[in-house]
Amino acid sequence: MSDDGRSAALKQRRTEPFSMVGVTWTDPELHVPGAIEVRTRLVESGQWSRWLRLDGDSGQGESGAARGGTEPAWVGPSDGIEARVRAGGSASSVLPAGLRLDMVDPGSGRITGMEPAAFAVDESGDPTAPASESGEPTPSTTEPEAPASSEPPTDPPVSEQPTPSESPSESVPPSPSTSGQPSPTPTVSAPPAPPSTAPQPPITSRADWGADESISPEEPGYLPGGKIKAVVVHHTAESNAYTCADGPAVVRGIYAYHVQQLGWKDLGYNFLVDKCGKVYEGRKGGIDRPVLGAHAYGFNTETTGISVLGTYTDAAPPQAAMASVARIAAWKLGQYGVDPAGTTTLTAGDSGLNYFGKTWAKGAQLSFPVIHGHRDGYNTQCPGDAFYAQLGTIRSWAAGPITGLAIKSVTGAGVSGTTYYTKAPLTVTWSATTPASLIARYELLVDGKVATTTAGTATSAAATLAVGSHKISVRAVHQSGRTTTTAAASVVAETTAPTFTTKPALALRTGTVNTTAVPLTLSWKATDNASLKEVRLTAPVSATYGPTTYSAARTAKSGVATTWSMTAYDRAGNTRTASVAGTPAILQESSATRSGTWSTKSSTSYLGGKSYSSSTKNASLTWTFTGRSAAWVVSRASTSGQAYVYVDGVKTATVDLKSSTTKYRDAIWTKSWTTSAKHTVKIVVVGTSGRPAVTTDGLVYVK
């Protein structure tokens, strides 16, 4: 310890194994405003941890406490420690008398203390070295110090004293716990255990987490008024690095520290929660009774205390832990008809100052949120900035109704705009921000009536609808009975299949012709009495078209019969199929009946390697075929002329073959009929001045 009494340090020191540490001092009323930090050597890795700052005041207000101290810190299995303590910034600040470093092994129950004399310079600098013969004491197990004075402590405020009844007739045994067994019924007269409006969450009993009842033989005390008016939320201000399996050991360590180091009658908190959401019974006396705890100085006599294991200054507890806090709070407050989202008036058992600088006198009537943080009633950072910011969420979860409820999807149904369509069965999926553990059930409503009921853990439900239009919604029932209902979704149930008002049909189209790719147009039209979704081409290739698309450009191999199959889908999933079959056929120019003068031209660019060309006016070629669509195929250049086209003896078109670029196998003219029949197509050379030549490569038809 320094000469001015303002700082002390314990150099790296080897110890017996421990997992929890705290710093205590003689005066239980004293607060240390400075920095108290420790770091430990981890057994598993042999590495030294980062410095961990301890809250300089446990600040609970236990009547008759033997010592003051920091909050205990869980550090995990360790076998070495280093500490440093510095008083506050004012010149008058000095360290408290009787400064001691206390280490707890929750497994063996061993408690090791290092007295002020141990806070000396370790000249060896070897963190693994045992205590030397230079006079530095080897740490040893010690009994907790008695108070510095043999005089009884100053009487605490009247409102802080428990007032158990002495009438045996008022003794009512506690209700059994739903998880593990509650503490044994105390022999003192206990207030009744009224039923709650909220279900009791699973709670690990003292026996199940391994409480050594021999170290706290005093009988429990109960709130003088027999009624809990508020819940004070805490964190234990220790490392968050513990595992879920460590939870019971952490609780045992806090229990040993509170009782054996600070001299309290029992663990200070009424309930503890680990980061995985497991709840532990704290101070004995009956989990369903208004047990007087030691967790909120000046306000213990009207409140119950819930503490989450860990430090939550920068990061809030996991949702599982927050949900458990909300469940305990709702259950305990529900025993006394107190709204978790409301405010309450508490009577100060002593003068005080809170974290926000507000002061009050003993006996003052102060307004608090029913669920509030320790810092609201005491000058402490507890339960940490990040945790404190989540108290509104915890109030909402505890009180209800359920928040964030929304329909996410409707499967087994198609959607168009804001309307869903189904053939009848569907599944509705939803989500909510309130944890499932606080939700009693969900109800799927069809036209305002319950169609399906599910557990609060469910996220979907199925229903079968009658044909017609319906309104679907989801109602969530909080454990308090309060309800939330989503906006209604419009759903149409219908079983009528779509209709092909225009059956699929094939027609030749203009474009370049190859024997393996004859250009075709596939056309159709489908409608639905409710909402058409799409039309799918399923053979000979696959394609999907929107509800307002009625044709598509395709190609087919010449000489091969092909069936084009289509299926229309409506939004509800009803379907209708239709198809058309056709075979493109190529009639070479040599198969035509000729008149006038025609010459043969050869090139691999022509269909079949040859074509006919003529510049003779009125020279003609005539093809006869049986089919439902035809296309005249030509070669084109800048010098190409014109031709007349006659169909079944009637002139139907004048076609100009002129092109700025040379083209081969070009389907330049097409004609289609609704049914297949015998037709003739005749082309006649016009004899255009300056460019009379017409080169034909054949005729293509669909049969």
Side-chain angles (χ1 to χ4, degrees):
M1 187 172 294
S2 64
D3 293 338
D4 61 4
R6 292 175 47 77
S7 64
L10 174 71
K11 292 297 183 180
Q12 294 174 355
R13 190 67 61 84
R14 182 176 178 180
T15 71
E16 293 295 329
F18 65 96
S19 293
M20 181 166 284
V21 64
V23 174
T24 63
W25 46 85
T26 303
D27 187 352
E29 303 295 328
L30 188 63
H31 171 73
V32 177
I36 303 175
E37 298 176 300
V38 297
R39 64 173 181 164
T40 63
R41 188 177 65 181
L42 305 179
V43 170
E44 183 175 354
S45 67
Q47 299 297 310
W48 287 84
S49 70
R50 63 178 178 81
W51 286 100
L52 178 65
R53 184 160 183 167
L54 308 182
D55 191 333
D57 185 2
S58 58
Q60 317 301 335
E62 173 75 292
S63 175
R67 293 176 66 80
T70 66
E71 292 283 5
W74 177 263
V75 293
S78 303
D79 61 4
I81 191 162
E82 184 174 5
R84 58 192 185 192
V85 185
R86 181 170 287 104
S90 65
S92 60
S93 296
V94 295
L95 296 180
L99 197 67
R100 189 175 72 202
L101 182 64
D102 293 308
M103 292 153 286
V104 181
D105 179 4
S108 67
R110 180 176 52 249
I111 299 175
T112 302
M114 288 188 176
E115 302 293 345
F119 285 77
V121 177
D122 182 354
E123 300 293 348
S124 71
D126 178 5
T128 65
S132 68
E133 298 179 0
S134 62
E136 294 177 348
T138 301
S140 59
T141 301
T142 65
E143 294 297 324
E145 277 192 1
S149 171
S150 60
E151 295 293 324
T154 304
D155 290 339
V158 173
S159 62
E160 291 298 293
Q161 292 291 337
T163 57
S165 167
E166 296 181 1
S167 171
S169 64
E170 295 182 11
S171 178
V172 181
S175 302
S177 168
T178 60
S179 174
Q181 296 298 318
S183 298
T185 304
T187 57
V188 297
S189 296
S196 179
T197 56
Q200 176 191 315
I203 298 173
T204 301
S205 69
R206 288 169 65 94
D208 285 346
W209 59 255
D212 179 1
E213 301 295 359
S214 68
I215 68 172
S216 59
E218 291 187 53
E219 299 288 359
Y222 296 94
L223 305 190
K227 177 181 179 180
I228 293 170
K229 298 175 65 176
V231 171
V232 183
V233 179
H234 304 260
H235 68 177
T236 55
E238 60 192 21
S239 170
N240 299 334
Y242 65 91
T243 67
C244 296
D246 287 332
V250 178
V251 175
R252 288 195 300 272
I254 296 172
Y255 174 50
Y257 182 79
H258 282 183
V259 174
Q260 295 179 287
Q261 305 310 106
L262 300 181
W264 295 1
K265 64 188 292 183
D266 196 354
L267 204 159
Y269 308 113
N270 298 95
F271 300 94
L272 301 98
V273 178
D274 68 24
K275 64 183 180 182
C276 303
K278 190 172 184 179
V279 182
Y280 302 87
E281 177 185 8
R283 180 159 289 210
K284 63 172 170 267
I287 57 174
D288 51 1
R289 307 305 173 99
V291 175
L292 177 65
H295 61 92
Y297 179 76
F299 301 100
N300 284 318
T301 58
E302 297 177 297
T303 64
T304 194
I306 306 171
S307 190
V308 178
L309 307 182
T311 295
Y312 300 103
T313 300
D314 299 319
Q319 186 183 85
M322 291 174 55
S324 290
V325 172
R327 294 180 71 189
I328 306 167
W331 171 57
K332 293 303 294 180
L333 294 169
Q335 289 186 287
Y336 305 98
V338 180
D339 180 6
T343 58
T344 189
T345 300
L346 303 180
T347 302
D350 204 346
S351 59
L353 165 71
N354 73 5
Y355 181 74
F356 306 103
K358 180 179 179 180
T359 60
W360 54 84
K362 178 180 178 180
Q365 299 288 296
L366 302 173
S367 178
F368 290 91
V370 166
I371 298 176
H372 62 271
H374 189 195
R375 64 172 60 182
D376 290 315
Y378 192 76
N379 187 17
T380 175
Q381 292 186 2
C382 180
D385 291 345
F387 195 177
Y388 188 79
Q390 294 297 319
L391 292 184
T393 298
I394 289 176
R395 295 181 194 110
S396 172
W397 290 353
I402 291 154
T403 58
L405 180 65
I407 292 176
K408 305 300 291 183
S409 65
V410 180
T411 55
V415 64
S416 178
T418 58
T419 302
Y420 292 91
Y421 297 86
T422 179
K423 288 194 286 187
L426 53 76
T427 299
V428 180
T429 301
W430 61 82
S431 64
T433 54
T434 299
S437 57
L438 291 141
I439 301 172
R441 65 185 182 276
Y442 286 105
E443 297 168 339
L444 180 62
L445 306 181
V446 177
D447 299 325
K449 297 181 179 180
V450 178
T452 307
T453 299
T454 70
T457 54
T459 57
S460 65
T464 299
L465 306 182
V467 173
S469 297
H470 304 279
K471 294 293 185 181
I472 303 292
S473 56
V474 176
R475 181 165 62 202
V477 182
H478 188 264
Q479 65 176 22
S480 66
R482 295 173 177 171
T483 62
T484 302
T485 305
T486 65
S490 297
V491 181
V492 175
E494 58 104 4
T495 57
T496 304
T499 300
F500 278 96
T501 54
T502 300
K503 300 293 184 180
L506 292 171
L508 292 165
R509 60 182 173 86
T510 59
T512 302
V513 176
N514 288 298
T515 56
T516 58
V518 176
L520 295 169
T521 295
L522 176 65
S523 61
W524 69 90
K525 186 174 183 180
T527 60
D528 187 68
N529 67 324
S531 180
L532 185 68
K533 179 184 180 183
E534 62 194 19
V535 177
R536 299 179 192 173
L537 175 62
T538 57
V541 293
S542 298
T544 300
Y545 305 102
T548 59
T549 299
Y550 306 127
S551 66
R554 311 300 310 184
T555 62
K557 189 175 182 180
S558 68
V560 177
T562 304
T563 298
W564 301 79
S565 300
M566 307 194 81
T567 303
Y569 291 79
D570 66 15
R571 299 284 179 182
N574 301 298
T575 63
R576 179 85 67 181
T577 60
S579 64
V580 61
T583 304
I586 297 175
L587 295 175
Q588 295 289 348
E589 68 284 350
S590 58
S591 66
T593 300
R594 288 176 287 176
S595 70
T597 302
W598 293 88
S599 61
T600 301
K601 301 178 70 175
S602 298
S603 172
T604 55
S605 297
Y606 300 133
L607 287 172
K610 293 182 179 181
S611 68
Y612 280 168
S613 182
S614 178
S615 297
T616 304
K617 183 176 181 179
N618 294 326
S620 67
L621 293 173
T622 302
W623 293 272
T624 299
F625 61 91
T626 299
R628 57 178 181 265
S629 184
W632 179 32
V633 183
V634 300
S635 292
R636 302 174 64 188
S638 60
T639 58
S640 298
Q642 297 175 311
Y644 300 125
V645 179
Y646 292 80
V647 177
D648 297 331
V650 178
K651 182 181 178 181
T652 60
T654 299
V655 179
D656 194 337
L657 278 61
K658 183 178 180 180
S659 172
S660 59
T661 59
T662 301
K663 296 182 178 180
Y664 297 95
R665 306 182 311 281
D666 190 24
I668 194 172
W669 168 89
T670 65
K671 173 71 176 178
S672 296
W673 299 268
T674 56
T675 60
S676 181
K678 185 176 181 179
H679 298 283
T680 61
V681 172
K682 178 181 180 180
I683 58 103
V684 178
V685 177
V686 173
T688 309
S689 176
R691 51 182 184 94
V694 171
T695 300
T696 183
D697 207 9
L699 188 81
V700 180
Y701 71 99
V702 175
K703 61 180 179 178

